[in-house]
Structure formats: structure tokens, C-alpha cells
Amino acid sequence: QVQVVQSGGGSVQAGGSLRLSCTASGSTVSNYCIKWFRQAAGKEREGVTFIYTGDGDGNPYYTDSVKGRFIISQDNAKNTVNLQMNNLKPEDTAMYYCAAAPAVGGTVCYWTSYKYWGQGTQVTVSS
């Protein structure tokens, strides 16, 4: 049974930074696609960034609105991924969810179904 545990988040003023972490475990497949989603009040859920743990920190994806501000990286614990969020803006306020999919090869991360989800964590950015 795959488990996804996330931590971090909180409240910060605009321009500040927060860090989220996500750990996936329990699959017989050794690597995962790990993707961060967010959902603001009254809006649809959107994909923010993802990484394939088999690539180390290589070739992550970012949605345009966070490019240059958010950094996704893999921790020394292989299936732990961190999301460093810098220069936060009020429009980044949302519930952030980590999701995982066991995978062989990073290409699948673009279209795979993310079946395993973390519990969600609130990020609030005040102006």
C-alpha cells in the first residue's frame, strides 16, 4: 500500500518563503513521479510542479506561474521531495497537495494518473 506523507506550509507575508516536503513509500517499484498540486478557494485544482525520483533533480516540470520562484528537489532520502517556495505572492494562497505515482521512467510523469495523495497543507500568503 503506497503512503504519501507531506509536511510544511503555514502563513507568510508576500515576498517570504515556505518549504513543503513529501515522502512516498510502500510501492514495489523503487521510483515515483511526485507532483505538487494546489487548489485555491473557489478555483480548480492545478498542477504546480513534478519530479521523477529516478532522475535526481534533473528535468523537473513547473507551471508558468511559479517558474523562477519555486524549486522542487529530491532529498537524500530517495523518495522524499521538497518544494522550496520563494518570493511568495498572495495568489499562491491555496491548499497544497502532494501526489505520487510509482513509475519506471520520467516521461510518464506528464500523463500518469496520480492515485496516491497526501493529506494536504494550507499555504497562506498575506499582502
Side-chain angles (χ1 to χ4, degrees), residues 11-125:
S11 298
V12 69
Q13 289 190 328
S17 298
L18 287 171
R19 179 181 166 109
L20 305 178
S21 293
C22 176
T23 300
S25 62
S27 174
T28 56
V29 177
S30 60
N31 292 305
Y32 297 84
C33 299
I34 295 182
K35 187 169 184 175
W36 288 97
F37 294 83
R38 65 185 180 186
Q39 187 164 19
K43 295 188 177 182
E44 292 187 356
R45 184 178 66 199
E46 66 167 336
V48 177
T49 178
F50 68 71
I51 195 169
Y52 173 59
T53 62
D55 284 342
D57 291 343
N59 203 32
Y61 160 87
Y62 298 97
T63 193
D64 286 346
S65 62
V66 307
K67 283 181 181 177
R69 300 188 298 120
F70 288 15
I71 301 170
I72 189 170
S73 63
Q74 190 170 318
D75 210 335
N76 288 334
K78 184 179 179 183
N79 290 325
T80 295
V81 168
N82 301 310
L83 179 62
Q84 179 67 36
M85 304 183 293
N86 300 318
N87 190 22
L88 282 160
K89 303 176 180 181
E91 52 263 43
D92 294 316
T93 295
M95 186 71 78
Y96 282 70
Y97 297 92
C98 174
V104 179
T107 305
V108 301
C109 298
Y110 285 91
W111 49 263
T112 192
S113 175
Y114 287 84
K115 296 182 180 180
Y116 306 102
W117 291 75
Q119 73 276 23
T121 186
Q122 179 68 36
V123 170
T124 302
V125 184

